[in-house]
Amino acid sequence: MKISARPKIVLLVETSRRYGRDLLRGVSSFARTRTNWSMLHQEMTIDSTLPEWMAKAAPSGVIARVDTHTVDSLRALRVPIVDVMCSRNFPAIPRVETNNRIVTKMAFDHLWERGFRRFAYCGFRFARYSEMRRDFFRELVEQNDCPLDVYESPGKPNTLLTSLEESGLVDLQQMYEWLNSLKFPTGIFVCNDIRGQQVLNACRALDIAVPDDLAVIGVDDDDAICPLTSPPLSSVNPNAELVGYRAAEVLHEMMNGYPTPTSIELVRPSKVISRQSTEVTAVEDREVARICRLIRDHACEGINVETVAGFTELSRRQLERRFRTELGRTIRQEITNVQLNKVKQLLRETEMTLEQISHLAGYSHKEQLCAVFKREIGQTPSMFRNSTSVDD
């Protein structure tokens, strides 16, 4: 029996961002379960040039972020190639990527469900993925007869993606002016989490309240960026792991003689990961919005309705009436909602005891917390923690 050499697969995918890391996880999952590939990869960024060792490695196939500065060298290898960058259509190189139309619909629906009827989009000019998402977003906003404001950092055609994205760090004054021109409340869809971080930093510098004045949602669910922003950034998870898996499947088929696909394959994104940058109900009444922000910032410090009423010139009765009109709930219910959201976060993300959690959420003792949690959520804190760990 003749033993054939293991196919060598070169992976030219960055590890510097979540999308690339998930692509690699998806390829790895396919390779471990369906093939005997030997995979070759080195640390790189999204715009890196091809490594010198690649040609000498005599690969059997390549999965790459293909762009104009790499395509000719890749074709010179004369092996099957699958593109997971999809910035352009290179003949005879199949493409697999996230379905940007559905990504955009998920982001729009997320903002719409929170009551936003004014929208904005912030992206990078000449970045293909950004322009696609901008156009899809515009379609949705116009279909619903809502206003849309768009801001894009300037750029030049055929510029490397990292250079286009870095432009968002040098046009701050223009972004400041644009953000200050928006009417509140507005829901902003940003082209990716990198852009989201830039927008949230600008909002913080301008003292614009997020999410009360501007709610912001990005794309990629980048585990390095989203938790570091202030507040943490909501984001659409694009299901890049499945993109990587499908890219590996397509490559495997090409290496086994199947025809090269001629159309792009679009993978459905996973879901919206909601964080504090959109955890709000859009409120036109700016005084109610201001008090909501006060409650969100201090509810877990033990404030009550009397404390809140002392921070407005409105009478308690006027404030309660405007709360019911805008939000359909009382001030006390709003305080409780904020406290319980904190409790749920700590139950999901930590191993803290209920005694520890109760004090961090503004309850004097755990028995009080358990009673309120059971009444409002319909299950005990322990049941909630166990159910979320099973879901994970």
Side-chain angles (χ1 to χ4, degrees):
M1 177 179 176
K2 183 178 180 181
I3 299 177
S4 58
R6 295 176 65 189
K8 297 178 183 176
I9 307 301
V10 171
L11 306 177
L12 301 177
V13 177
E14 80 284 353
T15 53
S16 56
R17 47 181 92 193
R18 167 77 179 270
Y19 193 94
R21 294 191 296 272
D22 280 355
L23 284 173
L24 293 171
R25 290 188 184 97
V27 174
S28 174
S29 176
F30 178 85
R32 288 196 315 270
T33 58
R34 301 277 299 279
T35 75
N36 64 337
W37 287 351
S38 174
M39 292 182 289
L40 307 177
H41 175 265
Q42 75 173 37
E43 186 78 14
M44 60 184 294
T45 64
I46 196 168
D47 288 325
S48 292
T49 56
L50 302 185
E52 294 181 0
W53 55 260
M54 191 178 65
K56 298 178 181 178
S60 307
V62 177
I63 296 174
R65 300 283 234 168
V66 183
D67 211 338
T68 52
H69 67 291
T70 58
V71 64
D72 290 339
S73 298
L74 288 171
R75 280 185 168 140
L77 296 172
R78 299 186 181 280
V79 298
I81 303 165
V82 177
D83 177 19
V84 288
M85 178 81 150
C86 305
S87 61
R88 291 171 177 80
N89 181 13
F90 298 110
I93 299 180
R95 297 170 292 161
V96 184
E97 79 165 336
T98 297
N99 190 318
N100 282 302
R101 183 178 289 277
I102 299 179
V103 163
T104 304
K105 182 68 163 55
M106 285 182 171
F108 176 83
D109 288 348
H110 182 76
L111 294 171
W112 182 270
E113 289 163 3
R114 279 147 186 78
F116 289 94
R117 300 299 181 262
R118 280 187 295 272
F119 299 92
Y121 180 81
C122 189
F124 302 107
R125 194 178 179 199
F126 299 116
R128 173 187 168 275
Y129 73 90
S130 177
E131 294 186 334
M132 288 181 64
R133 292 169 184 171
R134 176 203 63 200
D135 293 343
F136 291 146
F137 196 63
R138 178 179 282 119
E139 287 180 20
L140 291 167
V141 173
E142 290 177 352
Q143 286 170 11
N144 287 276
D145 296 321
C146 295
L148 174 68
D149 286 278
V150 174
Y151 178 77
E152 295 171 296
S153 291
K156 296 180 180 180
N158 302 316
T159 302
L160 293 178
L161 184 58
T162 49
S163 297
L164 291 175
E165 293 177 342
E166 286 171 1
S167 67
L169 299 173
V170 296
D171 66 332
L172 291 179
Q173 188 57 43
Q174 295 97 309
M175 184 190 287
Y176 288 170
E177 292 173 4
W178 177 69
L179 290 170
N180 275 325
S181 74
L182 298 177
K183 186 177 180 181
F184 304 149
T186 289
I188 302 182
F189 177 37
V190 293
C191 62
N192 66 1
D193 294 340
I194 293 172
R195 196 52 159 159
Q197 184 178 42
Q198 294 168 355
V199 168
L200 289 175
N201 287 343
C203 288
R204 190 173 182 84
L206 296 170
D207 199 28
I208 294 174
V210 177
D212 306 87
D213 296 337
L214 301 177
V216 185
I217 181 170
V219 184
D220 287 342
D221 188 30
D222 195 296
D223 51 359
I225 294 177
C226 293
L228 290 177
T229 61
S230 182
L233 178 65
S234 296
S235 187
V236 181
N237 185 310
N239 210 0
E241 190 165 337
L242 182 56
V243 174
Y245 191 94
R246 280 295 301 136
E249 276 190 317
V250 171
L251 181 64
H252 182 68
E253 291 168 357
M254 293 169 64
M255 290 167 56
N256 283 277
Y258 286 82
T260 300
T262 56
S263 61
I264 188 169
E265 178 169 345
L266 301 177
V267 172
R268 183 180 180 84
S270 175
K271 59 184 176 180
V272 172
I273 307 301
S274 180
R275 299 184 180 89
Q276 292 176 18
S277 70
T278 59
E279 288 182 357
V280 70
T281 300
V283 176
E284 293 290 339
D285 187 321
R286 303 319 297 156
E287 182 64 5
V288 171
R290 188 182 71 82
I291 296 301
C292 284
R293 183 184 183 187
L294 173 76
I295 290 172
R296 190 176 61 253
D297 290 343
H298 300 287
C300 295
E301 298 170 12
I303 63 171
N304 55 30
V305 177
E306 289 72 21
T307 306
V308 171
F311 282 87
T312 178
E313 295 181 359
L314 299 174
S315 69
R316 177 170 172 176
R317 178 174 295 180
Q318 288 175 316
L319 186 61
E320 287 281 13
R321 183 170 62 250
R322 286 164 69 163
F323 252 76
R324 287 185 179 276
T325 299
E326 286 288 335
L327 301 174
R329 54 183 176 267
T330 66
I331 299 171
R332 176 68 259 173
Q333 288 170 330
E334 183 69 11
I335 294 172
T336 299
N337 287 346
V338 173
Q339 291 175 313
L340 293 183
N341 284 338
K342 180 67 172 180
V343 172
K344 288 190 285 188
Q345 176 198 352
L346 294 174
L347 288 171
R348 284 192 303 263
E349 299 177 8
T350 76
E351 297 297 324
M352 289 182 180
T353 66
L354 289 179
E355 193 70 47
Q356 293 170 314
I357 290 174
S358 63
H359 292 300
L360 290 174
Y363 291 94
S364 56
H365 49 78
K366 68 178 183 181
E367 288 78 15
Q368 181 189 16
L369 163 62
C370 290
V372 175
F373 196 94
K374 180 68 183 300
R375 184 186 73 227
E376 299 295 329
I377 307 302
Q379 56 185 168
T380 67
S382 297
M383 291 167 60
F384 178 85
R385 172 174 271 170
N386 291 336
S387 67
T388 54
S389 63
V390 169
D391 292 341
D392 293 342

